[in-house]
Amino acid sequence: MRIYLVYTILLSIVLSSCTFAKKEKKSSDLIDDKISILISQMSLEEKIGQMTQITISALEKNGSPGELDKNKLKEAIQRYKIGSILNVPNPGAPKPERWHEILKEILEETNKTDKKIPIIYGIDAIHGASYTDGAVLFPQQIGMAATWNPELVEKCMAIAAYETRASSIPWVFSPDLDLPRNPVWSRFWETFGEDTYLSSQMGKAMINGFQGKDVGAPDKVATCVKHYIGYGSSTTAKDRTPSIIPERVLRQYDLPIFEKSIRAGAKSIMISSGEINGTPVHASKKMITEVLKGELGFKGFVVTDWKDIIYLHTRHKVAKTMREAVKKSVMAGIDMSMVPNGYSFFNELFSLVSDKEVPMSRIDDAVHRILRVKFELGLFDTPVTDPKDYPDFGSSTSVKMSYNASAESITLLKNRNNTLPLSKEKKVLITGPTANSMNFLNGGWSYTWQGEKSDEYAKDKLTILEAFQHKIGKQNVEYALGTQIFEEIDIAKTVNLAKKVDYIVLCLGEHNYTETPGDINDLRITEPQIKLAKALAVLNKPIILILNEGRPRIINEFENDMKAILQCYLPGNEGARALVDIVYGDINPSGKLPYNYPRYVNSLQKYNRKYTESLDNKEQNNDASYQKSYDPQYEFGHGLSYTTFRYSNLNIDRTEIGEEGIIKIKVDVNNIGERKGKEVVQLYIRDMYADITPEVKLLKRFQKIELQPKESQTVLFTIGIDDLKYVDENNKWIAEDGEFEITIDTISKKVVLKKEL
Ligand code: BGC
């Protein structure tokens, strides 16, 4: 009895003290003290419960999708004391009011427990609150990267945070910081593309937008960066298959993105479902405990991906039993298991700790990390929000922001003879399988996992066809599906219709998908689409190709027949409006490719290739029979405008730098065209010689600016010795003395590094 009394007093001190001023939360030491007291009072079941995450569908009533089964909920919370729930209930995205009811029902159950520790609900809000009906859906990450505008991305994610919290959810499984080495990968579009620096800057912007300065504010959410690490580099490019990445390479290209996200304050991290060099990351003590928590000093908590502890046993075959799988992963440093169905993790871990095979210190560390985020989020004070406090949910200002993001992402890849912008008086044929569906504009993780219900949820939003009809009137627009993505239909009929119009707007791309259902065997755009493009090309009418795709599908069989090409990625609910405004010149395009668009299926080099990947005929003995080894359809950083920017006066303030030195770089950019426009000033560095073969170029800085016609601006950059470093064969970052070339646009300057200076 006395013990219980002491416990109750202590707990009430802990809990009531958190209701006081937010100021207290700023002191992480105070929070740590509270957590330590709380943990000292927790039973083993309560601790392991905190480490257990269950999917909401496991708590639904059989036969009544979306409705919680009271007994299952009671079992989860009273018996197993689970600390977290995830995912969207069946059959898909609820409205904020319904989310509120669900979260309240869960809260009522946790309130019946001794310690009333709130659960942390996690959701894949990856392009807006994408599992909430009525939320603003932004371009998917690959489009966000194409804006090259981190400030804009931050603002968009602040809206996403607000709308997620309006849905009573405090935790998002975003951003995705994978670095895909092969564009065939079905999750390519969930990333920021192929460059480490661009991904790092965008990742930081997303985290800032989601978390703000105080993650406990009512309009902020905790992030879960994912999928640590090496997930996007599998040899086969099929989802969840093995990667082979030398540590030197991993440290140079993949790790810095996660490191920056930790510096930006990411609260949690999700582990990759893949394996690196034969070790599943979920079983890698080296990658989780030594590198992530040790070297990088990550203080947040580590969650598994879906079912991944079970898969150590059933798929990866590195654990003979479930018990061994649980032990391996918890000892590797996993803090929370996305089980997500059932309590195998709970039971095995309970038994492992009872048998002293997993020390209590490991459990306490995991629970401490999880509770810290719950405290920082203010969940003990405000476990559930009220949608009424979020009047700006789905507001027109937020919708405008999504439109702006689409407008800045859409990338003009080609514009032969200034075909674009079009005149509104001309008649157009809109055709192609992606022309009239919201499913393709949003892609996966939209309302449902695979995004097959956007047409239903976003029926009030405009498809590409509808946006054209709005813009120039139905009388000027003909429409024919042309073909489906996988199945050929109606090509001949479409060609006939095309004879009646001035321009053909050909909308090609991909269906909605993510993860393993999005695996493909061939990066070429699908056969029926190639046939449609070729059949239309025969007419010799100007064709504007609109690409609506998550990954760059090869188009070289008909690219030459296209007069203009716009890449709109997966631009979200406002994408079609932005696209059509670009087609008619009301918006001047400013997106730039965040990846190399390959020309051939077997030539998938990244822009930062090595010299040997880039030899031209001249270097191959001038022998014309040699094929160019580096020949992307469009290069990383490429994107045209309706105006012209001229670069001049690249100036560096010194030609030699030492260990401590910095270089100030200036360049003048002049809009010499007739329209205002936005330009991304990109600074690349090339290490002329190094012990590890240097890249031909590496992006080191960029800045997006806007210039009126005839306006010019001097853009300033600063770089230091860290920007000249690479990872050597001992896996250490070093800078070697010698010459480096700094390039902006087509102008270059050399600088010499002399460390003793
Ligand atoms: C995906 C993660 C996602 C998780 C939760 C997994 O299948 O790989 O990216 O966050 O499911 O929905």
Side-chain angles (χ1 to χ4, degrees):
M1 192 61 179
R2 254 187 47 214
I3 296 174
Y4 178 73
L5 199 67
V6 172
Y7 157 71
T8 318
I9 293 169
L10 275 172
L11 185 65
S12 58
I13 296 171
V14 170
L15 297 182
S16 63
S17 57
C18 11
T19 41
F20 292 123
K22 290 246 151 66
K23 258 192 248 153
E24 268 191 45
K25 285 192 191 139
K26 290 208 178 102
S27 154
S28 55
D29 289 351
L30 267 183
I31 290 185
D32 282 340
D33 291 347
K34 287 176 192 169
I35 297 168
S36 299
I37 297 172
L38 185 52
I39 289 181
S40 72
Q41 305 299 324
M42 287 167 76
S43 65
L44 180 57
E45 281 101 332
E46 284 169 327
K47 291 177 186 175
I48 294 177
Q50 284 304 306
M51 298 169 69
T52 304
Q53 188 187 49
I54 296 295
T55 177
I56 184 120
S57 52
L59 306 176
E60 282 177 13
K61 237 187 222 167
N62 294 340
S64 302
E67 238 184 274
L68 292 182
D69 181 317
K70 291 208 180 327
N71 290 329
K72 289 183 187 168
L73 185 61
K74 189 170 168 200
E75 181 190 40
I77 288 177
Q78 305 286 347
R79 162 78 184 90
Y80 290 103
K81 301 167 195 332
I82 62 164
S84 181
I85 302 180
L86 86 151
N87 220 349
V88 64
N90 287 306
K95 291 203 175 295
E97 293 71 20
R98 179 64 194 137
W99 269 122
H100 175 72
E101 284 168 10
I102 295 171
L103 272 284
K104 246 181 85 184
E105 204 177 331
I106 296 168
L107 175 67
E108 277 158 18
E109 203 57 51
T110 44
N111 278 344
K112 291 182 200 154
T113 61
D114 276 0
K115 303 197 175 53
K116 303 182 178 32
I117 301 175
I119 63 119
I120 181 168
Y121 202 104
I123 202 82
D124 290 281
I126 70 159
H127 67 128
S130 40
Y131 274 159
T132 300
D133 188 1
V136 177
L137 296 199
F138 296 90
Q140 296 280 5
Q141 255 185 239
I142 197 71
M144 287 305 209
T147 67
W148 293 60
N149 187 342
E151 290 80 26
L152 177 63
V153 169
E154 184 175 331
K155 285 184 193 150
C156 292
M157 289 311 113
I159 294 168
Y162 178 96
E163 300 202 341
T164 306
R165 267 277 163 124
S167 318
S168 290
I169 299 174
W171 183 32
V172 293
F173 303 133
S174 179
D176 185 312
L177 302 182
D178 295 313
L179 187 73
R181 285 188 169 74
N182 188 330
V184 175
W185 187 40
S186 61
R187 308 193 73 172
F188 184 79
W189 53 269
E190 291 180 53
T191 76
F192 292 119
E194 69 179 41
D195 181 65
T196 300
Y197 181 73
L198 181 60
S199 302
S200 306
Q201 295 304 107
M202 288 296 175
K204 192 167 116 192
M206 263 179 102
I207 292 166
N208 289 343
F210 277 131
Q211 296 190 170
K213 288 201 167 58
D214 174 10
V215 76
D219 57 349
K220 294 296 167 199
V221 291
T223 54
C224 182
V225 298
K226 62 189 190 185
H227 307 80
Y228 178 83
I229 190 172
Y231 183 29
S233 304
S234 69
T235 319
T236 63
K238 296 275 168 63
D239 190 40
R240 292 175 159 85
T241 60
S243 299
I244 297 172
I245 316 174
E247 183 170 343
R248 195 198 74 69
V249 174
L250 193 80
R251 285 181 178 276
Q252 178 154 340
Y253 300 104
D254 303 64
L255 199 59
I257 313 176
F258 287 96
E259 184 177 0
K260 298 286 171 343
S261 78
I262 290 164
R263 304 279 158 268
K267 297 289 171 197
S268 63
I269 198 160
M270 189 186 293
I271 300 300
S272 152
S273 303
E275 64 173 68
I276 304 175
N277 309 334
T279 304
V281 190
H282 282 82
S284 174
K285 187 165 191 173
K286 171 165 177 175
M287 288 319 299
I288 303 175
T289 299
E290 289 169 27
V291 176
L292 176 64
K293 292 181 174 175
E295 247 180 72
L296 303 188
F298 178 59
K299 296 276 179 287
F301 70 90
V302 174
V303 62
T304 72
D305 201 343
W306 189 266
K307 239 176 152 174
D308 270 321
I309 294 185
I310 296 173
Y311 289 151
L312 289 182
H313 170 50
T314 61
R315 283 187 180 175
H316 293 288
K317 311 280 182 193
V318 294
K320 285 189 207 73
T321 57
M322 259 307 290
R323 182 183 171 90
E324 197 185 332
V326 171
K327 182 174 174 182
K328 264 200 165 160
S329 59
V330 172
M331 291 314 291
I334 290 293
D335 300 313
M336 183 185 278
S337 167
M338 190 186 286
V339 186
N341 292 293
Y343 302 99
S344 54
F345 171 80
F346 182 100
N347 292 327
E348 298 295 355
L349 189 53
F350 187 85
S351 148
L352 283 161
V353 181
S354 307
D355 294 348
K356 308 229 169 340
E357 285 189 49
V358 169
M360 191 63 96
S361 54
R362 178 68 271 276
I363 302 296
D364 286 349
D365 170 51
V367 176
H368 199 111
R369 288 167 179 271
I370 295 164
L371 289 178
R372 191 188 293 120
V373 176
K374 291 189 178 185
F375 270 102
E376 287 174 341
L377 274 167
L379 294 183
F380 285 88
D381 303 337
T382 317
V384 172
T385 54
D386 187 339
K388 289 198 200 75
D389 297 332
Y390 296 82
D392 292 333
F393 176 88
S395 74
S396 54
T397 324
S398 304
V399 168
K400 179 79 196 333
M401 197 61 84
S402 170
Y403 168 89
N404 290 347
S406 303
E408 288 211 20
S409 69
I410 294 169
T411 307
L412 181 59
L413 296 176
K414 175 175 178 180
N415 196 14
R416 195 184 286 155
N417 304 331
N418 294 327
T419 305
L420 294 179
L422 295 187
S423 140
K424 287 181 190 140
E425 278 69 56
K426 302 281 183 190
K427 275 205 179 319
V428 295
L429 166 71
I430 311 295
T431 185
T434 57
N436 197 21
S437 173
M438 295 308 300
N439 289 1
F440 309 140
L441 292 174
N442 276 321
W445 298 114
S446 305
Y447 308 110
T448 62
W449 177 44
Q450 293 296 315
E452 74 286 1
K453 289 194 181 156
S454 283
D455 277 330
E456 196 182 301
Y457 280 94
K459 59 179 176 309
D460 298 336
K461 299 291 176 182
L462 300 186
T463 64
I464 296 175
L465 169 64
E466 290 161 349
F468 269 94
Q469 289 170 335
H470 265 71
K471 190 81 179 175
I472 58 169
K474 282 192 173 163
Q475 70 286 358
N476 286 321
V477 179
E478 296 287 347
Y479 170 68
L481 178 61
T483 181
Q484 282 170 348
I485 289 180
F486 300 108
E487 209 179 311
E488 190 185 322
I489 55 157
D490 275 359
I491 293 184
K493 198 175 111 201
T494 308
V495 172
N496 263 334
L497 197 58
K499 292 179 185 152
K500 299 205 318 212
V501 300
D502 304 301
Y503 290 93
I504 300 166
V505 176
L506 176 60
C507 304
L508 305 185
E510 295 194 300
H511 70 299
N512 44 286
Y513 61 84
T514 178
E515 299 190 48
T516 314
D519 281 350
I520 49 172
N521 292 321
D522 186 352
L523 191 56
R524 287 159 73 244
I525 202 157
T526 60
E527 204 60 52
Q529 301 191 81
I530 297 175
K531 277 197 182 163
L532 176 64
K534 284 183 172 173
L536 290 168
V538 173
L539 297 177
N540 268 328
K541 293 230 171 187
I543 305 179
I544 292 107
L545 173 63
I546 309 291
L547 293 168
N548 174 191
E549 57 187 8
R551 57 199 147 190
R553 303 298 293 257
I554 305 286
I555 52 170
N556 72 12
E557 286 176 65
F558 57 86
E559 192 270 353
N560 200 31
D561 298 321
M562 305 291 115
K563 286 274 187 293
I565 303 180
L566 280 159
Q567 170 62 285
C568 60
Y569 314 93
L570 304 174
N573 275 341
E574 312 308 320
R577 287 199 297 130
L579 171 75
V580 169
D581 285 349
I582 287 174
V583 168
Y584 289 99
D586 295 328
I587 294 277
N588 191 352
S590 64
K592 304 275 178 189
L593 275 180
Y595 51 75
N596 265 359
Y597 201 116
R599 190 186 294 272
Y600 306 108
V601 281
N602 289 333
S603 276
L604 303 176
Q605 298 105 321
K606 292 167 55 141
Y607 86 92
N608 56 0
R609 71 263 178 210
K610 299 292 181 80
Y611 285 88
T612 48
E613 294 177 283
S614 217
L615 301 177
D616 60 19
N617 294 341
K618 230 175 26 223
E619 286 164 300
Q620 314 257 32
N621 303 327
N622 248 337
D623 184 338
S625 68
Y626 278 91
Q627 301 207 337
K628 245 188 178 175
S629 56
Y630 176 74
D631 190 17
Q633 191 84 59
Y634 307 104
E635 205 178 33
F636 173 86
H638 169 74
L640 302 169
S641 165
Y642 295 150
T643 187
T644 306
F645 298 98
R646 179 179 291 156
Y647 287 75
S648 58
N649 301 326
L650 176 63
N651 179 286
I652 54 176
D653 71 339
R654 62 187 61 208
T655 51
E656 286 188 342
I657 70 160
E659 189 90 56
E660 305 296 326
I662 54 164
I663 312 164
K664 291 191 179 136
I665 300 155
K666 284 201 278 192
V667 71
D668 292 339
V669 188
N670 188 0
N671 179 354
I672 58 169
E674 303 301 321
R675 285 167 183 266
K676 94 174 163 187
K678 291 185 177 164
E679 169 70 334
V680 180
V681 184
Q682 304 168 35
L683 184 154
Y684 293 89
I685 290 189
R686 153 193 308 215
D687 188 348
M688 304 308 286
Y689 294 92
D691 275 351
I692 295 284
T693 53
E695 298 84 356
V696 171
K697 61 197 261 203
L698 271 178
L699 180 72
K700 291 292 173 182
R701 295 286 182 276
F702 63 88
Q703 193 185 328
K704 195 162 193 176
I705 58 171
E706 180 166 30
L707 294 177
Q708 299 297 326
K710 311 290 174 263
E711 193 190 358
S712 47
Q713 186 180 327
T714 303
V715 178
L716 306 172
F717 295 109
T718 306
I719 59 166
I721 187 166
D722 283 347
D723 297 301
L724 308 180
K725 288 184 175 165
Y726 69 85
V727 177
D728 73 2
E729 60 184 6
N730 300 315
N731 300 323
K732 297 273 172 288
W733 282 95
I734 61 155
E736 276 177 40
D737 281 359
E739 240 183 358
F740 294 81
E741 190 175 71
I742 297 170
T743 303
I744 297 181
D745 194 50
T746 55
I747 327 173
S748 299
K749 289 271 158 138
K750 290 237 171 95
V751 64
V752 175
L753 171 66
K754 277 190 192 159
K755 286 197 282 278
E756 306 77 70
L757 262 190

